[in-house]
C-alpha cells in the first residue's frame, strides 16, 4: 500500500519511456501495469539478488539498473558491477549509507557538516555528548526515514534515547553503530540533484516542516520553482556529492541552514521519498524519475524546467496513538477545492496508530497526505492548510480502549 502510494509515479514515469523489468521481494500487484517481466528475490540477500539479475539478463538485453530504496543501494551497485552495467561503485554507495563515513569525507573535503562521534555503548554516548555539547542528536549510523533519530537536550534524557537509537541501529546492514552528533539549529531543507558523468545539476530545493519532537518526523514539504534559496544551498549540495565520489544518479541532499549558512546532514543517493519527486514535477516539469532511468542507461537527462509553479504536501498524523475510527474529507470539499492535486489515506478505519513516542515510526503513525499546487509556495501551502482544516479524523486514544474519543490531526 505504501509503496504504491509513494512510488507508483516513479514506475509509471519510467515505464512511459523504457521497458522495465523488476526485482521485487514479493509478487508484483499494482506494478504489473508498468513492467514487462520480473523476478522475486530479497534485494538485501546479495546472492538471491544476483541470481535474479542474471535470470533477467538471460531473458532481456539490460541497459541500466537503479533503485529508489535506501537499503538496496549497496546490493544494487554490486549487482550492476556483476552485470557490467553503469553504476556508482559499491564503495561509494557504502559511504553514502554509512553516515560516519560520510561525515569523515565531508570533513576531508571541507564540506560544512556537524560534529559527530561513533559510539557503541550508552557510556560512550554520554562522553561524546558532553564533549560535543547539548543538545545533541542520536541516530543509527546506517538507516533511513529518520527512524531511531532523536534529539537529546540534557544528560538525563540520554540513556532512554540511546536505547531507542541502538535498537534501530542493530537492524543495520552496513553498520550497527550509533552516532552522537551536534544538533544543527536551523531550518531543514533538501536539495534535489542530478549527476551525469560527474557533473551535478541542482534542480530544486525542498523546504521541510519537521516535528513530533524530540523525533524528526517530516510533516510537510514545499517545492517552489522560483525559490531564491536555491542559489544559497546549491554549492554545498554539489560539494557534498563530489566529496562522496558520486558520479551519476539522482541525489536527495539534506541540510540545515544555521545562521543562514548550509550545514550538511546527509546525502541520499536516490530519488527522494515522500513524493518529493512528484512535487518537483508539478512545480517545474522536471521528471526526476525519468532522469534517474536515463542516467542509469548512460543517457543525458533532460532537466529543462517547463513549469514555474509551486507544489506542497502535508502529512496527516494523529495527535496521540490509538485506534482510527474515522478519516475523511468534508463532503463536497474535494470537488470545489482549487489546486487540490491528491488526497491519500494509507491507514484504514480499525487500524492502530502508534506515534514515535510510543514506540512507532512514520510507517505506524502516518494516516495519509494532502497534495496541492499553486502559482507560489504561499498559495500552495494555504491550499494545503485549507484541505487540512476539512479533514475529519477520529481516534480512540490507546489509554482509553473502551471509551470513544476524538483527536484532531496534527
Amino acid at each position: 500500500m505504501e509503496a504504491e502510494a509513494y512510488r507508483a509515479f516513479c514506475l509509471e514515469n519510467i515505464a512511459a519511456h523504457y521497458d522495465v523489468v523488476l526485482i521485487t521481494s514479493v509478487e508484483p500487484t499494482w506494478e504489473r501495469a508498468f513492467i514487462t517481466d520480473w523476478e522475486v528475490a530479497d534485494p538485501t540477500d546479495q546472492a538471491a539478488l544476483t541470481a535474479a539479475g542474471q535470470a533477467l539478463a538471460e531473458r532481456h538485453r539490460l541497459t541500466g539498473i537503479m533503485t529508489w530504496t535506501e537499503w538496496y543501494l549497496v546490493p544494487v551497485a554490486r549487482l550492476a558491477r556483476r552485470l557490467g552495467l553503469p553504476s556508482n561503485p559499491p564503495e561509494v554507495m557504502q559511504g553514502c549509507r554509512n553516515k560516519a563515513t560520510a561525515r569523515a569525507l565531508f570533513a576531508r573535503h571541507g564540506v560544512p557538516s556537524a560534529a559527530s562521534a561513533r559510539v557503541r555503548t550508552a557510556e560512550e554516548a554520554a562522553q561524546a555528548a558532553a564533549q560535543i555539547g547539548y543538545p545533541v542528536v542520536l541516530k543509527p549510523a546506517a538507516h533511513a526515514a529518520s527512524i531511531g533519530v532523536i534529539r537529546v537536550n540534557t544528560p538525563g534524557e540520554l540513556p532512554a534515547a540511546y536505547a531507542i537509537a541502538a535498537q534501530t541501529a542493530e537492524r543495520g546492514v552496513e553498520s550497527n553503530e550509533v552516532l552522537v552528533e551536534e544538533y544543527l539549529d536551523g531550518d531543514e531543507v533538501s536539495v534535489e540533484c542530478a549527476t551525469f558523468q560527474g557533473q551535478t545539476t541542482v534542480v530544486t530545493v525542498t523546504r521541510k516542516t519537521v516535528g513530533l519532537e524530540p523525533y524528526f518526523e517530516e510533516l510537510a514539504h514545499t517545492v517552489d520553482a522560483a525559490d531564491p534559496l536555491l542559489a544559497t544551498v546549491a554549492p554545498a549540495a554539489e560539494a557534498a556529492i563530489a566529496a562522496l565520489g558520486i558520479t551519476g544518479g539522482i541525489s536527495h541532499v539534506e541540510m540545515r541552514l544555521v545562521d543562514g549558512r548550509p550545514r550538511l546532514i546527509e546525502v541520499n543517493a536516490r530519488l527522494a521519498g515522500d513524493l518529493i519527486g512528484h512535487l518537483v514535477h508539478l512545480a517545474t516539469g522536471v521528471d526526476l524519475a525519468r532522469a534517474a532511468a536515463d542516467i542509469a542507461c548512460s543517457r543525458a537527462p533532460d532537466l529543462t524546467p517547463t513549469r514555474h509553479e509551486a507544489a506542497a504536501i502535508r502529512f496527516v498524523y494523529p495527535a496521540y496513538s490509538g485506534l482510527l475510527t474515522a478519516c475523511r474529507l468534508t463532503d463536497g470539499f474535494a470537488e470545489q477545492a482549487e489546486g487540490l492535486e491528491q488526497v491519500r489515506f494509507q491507514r484504514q478505519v480499525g487500524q492502530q496508530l502508534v506515534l514515535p513516542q510510543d514506540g512507532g515510526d512514520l510507517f505506524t503513525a502516518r494516516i495519509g497526505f494532502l497534495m496541492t499546487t499553486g502559482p507560489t509556495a504561499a498559495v500552495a501551502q494555504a491550499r494545503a492548510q485549507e484541505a487540512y482544516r476539512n479533514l475529519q479524523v477520529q481516534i480512540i486514544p490507546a489509554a482509553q480502549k473502551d471509551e470513544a474519543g476524538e483527536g484532531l490531526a496534527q
Side-chain angles (χ1 to χ4, degrees):
M1 181 73 171
E2 274 127 7
E4 182 180 6
Y6 290 98
R7 291 303 191 184
F9 84 95
C10 297
L11 200 51
E12 181 178 5
N13 290 8
I14 294 170
H17 305 280
Y18 290 92
D19 292 329
V20 179
V21 296
L22 182 69
I23 300 175
T24 175
S25 58
V26 296
E27 285 288 332
T29 53
W30 61 269
E31 301 97 331
R32 294 193 186 200
F34 309 114
I35 61 178
T36 59
D37 197 359
W38 68 88
E39 284 283 327
V40 175
D42 179 0
T44 64
D45 182 333
Q46 193 67 58
L49 181 66
T50 299
Q54 290 175 328
L56 288 171
E58 291 173 359
R59 302 198 295 268
H60 307 274
R61 185 176 67 85
L62 304 181
T63 57
I65 184 171
M66 60 170 284
T67 180
W68 49 66
T69 301
E70 184 75 18
W71 293 278
Y72 303 163
L73 288 172
V74 175
V76 168
R78 290 174 178 152
L79 176 60
R81 175 177 284 177
R82 183 68 175 266
L83 297 178
L85 297 172
S87 172
N88 292 294
E91 297 78 13
V92 169
M93 292 295 93
Q94 286 174 324
C96 295
R97 286 290 297 129
N98 190 318
K99 296 175 177 63
T101 302
R103 290 280 187 235
L105 290 170
F106 293 156
R108 184 183 306 168
H109 292 274
V111 180
S113 182
S116 179
R118 295 183 291 181
V119 299
R120 292 190 177 275
T121 66
E123 291 74 19
E124 290 181 4
Q127 293 171 2
Q131 183 173 3
I132 292 171
Y134 288 92
V136 295
V137 176
L138 268 59
K139 64 176 64 173
H143 216 271
S146 297
I147 298 173
V149 181
I150 183 169
R151 175 176 166 172
V152 182
N153 296 312
T154 66
E157 297 174 359
L158 191 137
Y162 179 82
I164 292 171
Q167 184 178 28
T168 303
E170 288 173 359
R171 303 196 297 267
V173 176
E174 290 85 4
S175 172
N176 57 11
E177 292 178 315
V178 171
L179 301 184
V180 179
E181 297 195 336
E182 171 190 9
Y183 173 68
L184 301 177
D185 190 4
D187 292 338
E188 184 167 335
V189 302
S190 66
V191 188
E192 318 314 324
C193 305
T195 304
F196 180 65
Q197 295 180 348
Q199 297 297 313
T200 295
T201 300
V202 175
V203 179
T204 58
V205 57
T206 304
R207 302 212 185 206
K208 297 172 173 284
T209 301
V210 180
L212 302 186
E213 293 185 357
Y215 302 93
F216 294 85
E217 295 296 332
E218 296 184 347
L219 305 181
H221 305 303
T222 306
V223 175
D224 186 349
D227 198 324
L229 189 59
L230 194 62
T232 300
V233 299
E238 293 168 353
I241 290 169
L244 291 171
I246 297 170
T247 57
I250 302 299
S251 295
H252 171 64
V253 184
E254 295 182 293
M255 59 182 73
R256 284 199 171 209
L257 302 175
V258 180
D259 296 327
R261 298 178 180 178
R263 301 271 298 277
L264 262 293
I265 298 175
E266 63 189 37
V267 175
N268 301 284
R270 52 160 173 81
L271 285 159
D274 279 352
L275 289 162
I276 289 174
H278 192 40
L279 298 182
V280 171
H281 197 200
L282 290 171
T284 70
V286 175
D287 186 346
L288 290 179
R290 181 186 177 181
D294 288 339
I295 295 168
C297 296
S298 299
R299 297 178 180 175
D302 184 358
L303 304 173
T304 306
T306 58
R307 300 175 190 159
H308 299 279
E309 300 180 20
I313 189 168
R314 180 155 182 181
F315 303 104
V316 183
Y317 285 88
Y320 37 74
S321 299
L323 180 70
L324 181 65
T325 59
C327 185
R328 59 184 177 272
L329 276 175
T330 302
D331 290 344
F333 175 78
E335 289 74 18
Q336 57 83 34
E338 189 174 6
L340 184 60
E341 176 71 20
Q342 189 177 354
V343 178
R344 185 75 177 250
F345 299 122
Q346 61 197 74
R347 293 286 176 267
Q348 298 179 357
V349 169
Q351 291 186 315
Q352 291 288 339
L353 306 174
V354 186
L355 288 165
Q357 59 264 36
D358 299 317
D361 52 44
L362 71 86
F363 301 109
T364 62
R366 187 181 286 178
I367 297 170
F369 60 82
L370 309 163
M371 188 183 300
T372 54
T373 59
T376 66
V379 172
Q381 289 170 323
R383 288 172 174 174
Q385 179 63 19
E386 180 63 19
Y388 198 77
R389 282 196 291 264
N390 278 273
L391 273 178
Q392 298 175 0
V393 175
Q394 293 179 332
I395 308 290
I396 297 178
Q400 302 174 17
K401 293 181 181 179
D402 299 325
E403 183 178 337
E406 183 171 323
L408 296 176
Q410 75 173 15

